[in-house]
Amino acid sequence: MGEMASGIAHEVNQPLTAIATYTQASLNLMKAEHPNLEKLAEVAYKTQQQALRAGQIINRMREFVKSNTKQSLDTDLNELIQDAISLCLPKLKQSNITLSLQLQDSLPLINIDHIQIEQVIINLIRNSEDALNSCSENRQKEISIYSLLTPNDSIEVRVKDNGSGIPEDQQQQILMPFYTTKAEGMGMGLSICCSIIEAHEGYLKFNSQAGKGSTFYFSLPIKTDNV
C-alpha cells in the first residue's frame, strides 16, 4: 500500500507539474499588451493533454489494483521516446542541457503498456537532469538517448548523462525502494521503474563512473508475434 501510494504521487506529479508550468505560461501570455492567441491556444491544448494524461495514469493505477494486469498495445518505441522527450524538453532547455538522440531506424513494434513505459523514460530523463543540475555551471551538460535492437531479440533504451556519477557506496542501493539521494525525494522513482520493466519481462540496469556520468538502460523482449 505504501509503495502504491508513493507510486501514484510520483507518477501523477509529472503531468501536474506540466499543467502548472503551462498555466503560468498562459497567464504570462494573457498579460501581454497584444496577446498571441495562436500561442495561447497551443499552450491551452498542451495543458488539456497533460490533464488527460493525469487521468490516464490514475486509471492505470486503479486497473492495476483491481486486476493486476497491464494494458498492452503494439508500440513504436522510438515514437514513445519522442513523446517522452516532448514533455521534458522545456525544463531541459531551461537548465541549458543539450539533448542528443541516436535511435535505430525501423525497430519492430513491441507489445507494451505505453503509458507505463513512457513514465519510465520520463523518469530516467529527469533523473539525468537532476544529476546535471547538481554539477558546476561551467560544465557542458549533455543527455544522450539511444535505442537499439539487441542480438537476443530485445529492444534496449539507454539514457546517458555526463554528470558527476553515482558514488560507489550508493550504487548498491540506488534501485532499492525508499532510497534516495535527493533532499525531497521519496526514493520510489527507480524502484517503480524496475517494477514496470520487470512486469514487461525485461530488466533495468545502470553503469556509473564518478566524475564521468551515468547510463541507465532497460531492455524489453520482442514477442515472436510482433517480429
Side-chain angles (χ1 to χ4, degrees):
M1 289 177 63
E3 182 172 350
M4 181 60 67
S6 296
I8 292 171
H10 183 271
E11 305 301 340
V12 176
N13 185 61
Q14 294 173 351
L16 291 182
T17 299
I19 289 170
T21 301
Y22 290 140
T23 302
Q24 185 60 56
S26 298
L27 292 172
N28 293 340
L29 286 168
M30 287 187 286
K31 290 176 183 177
E33 185 175 352
H34 302 290
N36 185 333
L37 297 182
E38 183 177 348
K39 186 67 175 178
L40 188 58
E42 178 186 341
V43 175
Y45 173 76
K46 289 181 178 179
T47 306
Q48 178 204 37
Q49 292 303 301
Q50 289 303 308
L52 293 173
R53 178 179 179 76
Q56 288 178 324
I57 292 169
I58 292 170
N59 285 335
R60 286 288 190 275
M61 291 284 186
R62 184 174 59 190
E63 290 162 7
F64 179 80
V65 171
K66 288 171 60 178
S67 61
N68 199 28
T69 58
K70 60 183 184 293
Q71 292 192 4
S72 299
L73 297 171
D74 287 347
T75 303
D76 184 325
L77 206 50
N78 284 342
E79 288 185 6
L80 198 63
I81 291 170
Q82 296 281 8
D83 289 342
I85 288 170
S86 69
L87 299 175
C88 300
L89 205 53
K91 286 195 69 180
L92 294 179
K93 289 181 178 179
Q94 187 178 5
S95 299
N96 295 317
I97 295 173
T98 301
L99 182 67
S100 64
L101 297 179
Q102 296 188 39
L103 307 181
Q104 183 173 328
D105 292 331
S106 304
L107 289 175
L109 298 180
I110 190 165
N111 194 257
I112 56 174
D113 186 314
H114 66 285
I115 289 179
Q116 289 185 0
I117 300 302
E118 187 178 44
Q119 289 296 309
V120 171
I121 298 167
I122 290 170
N123 191 70
L124 296 183
I125 293 172
R126 288 182 170 163
N127 279 354
S128 288
E129 178 193 347
D130 289 341
L132 290 168
N133 284 337
S134 66
C135 297
S136 61
E137 287 298 322
N138 56 3
R139 178 193 288 257
Q140 176 62 49
K141 304 174 184 177
E142 299 175 354
I143 295 176
S144 301
I145 302 178
Y146 306 80
S147 69
L148 62 151
L149 188 63
T150 66
N152 62 342
D153 289 330
S154 295
I155 297 178
E156 186 172 284
V157 176
R158 303 175 187 168
V159 179
K160 179 181 179 181
D161 66 68
N162 66 334
S164 55
I166 303 168
E168 287 189 19
D169 61 345
Q170 296 179 8
Q171 291 189 16
Q172 296 298 319
Q173 301 168 285
I174 199 72
L175 298 179
M176 294 175 61
F178 303 111
Y179 181 82
T180 180
T181 59
K182 303 174 187 177
E184 298 180 357
M186 294 184 297
M188 292 305 301
L190 287 173
S191 175
I192 292 169
C193 288
C194 283
S195 296
I196 289 173
I197 297 301
E198 287 170 5
H200 284 77
E201 301 177 24
Y203 61 80
L204 187 150
K205 299 182 179 180
F206 71 93
N207 296 313
S208 187
Q209 190 171 355
K212 294 189 176 180
S214 303
T215 301
F216 282 81
Y217 58 97
F218 63 86
S219 179
L220 296 170
I222 301 169
K223 305 298 183 182
T224 54
D225 56 353
N226 290 332
V227 176

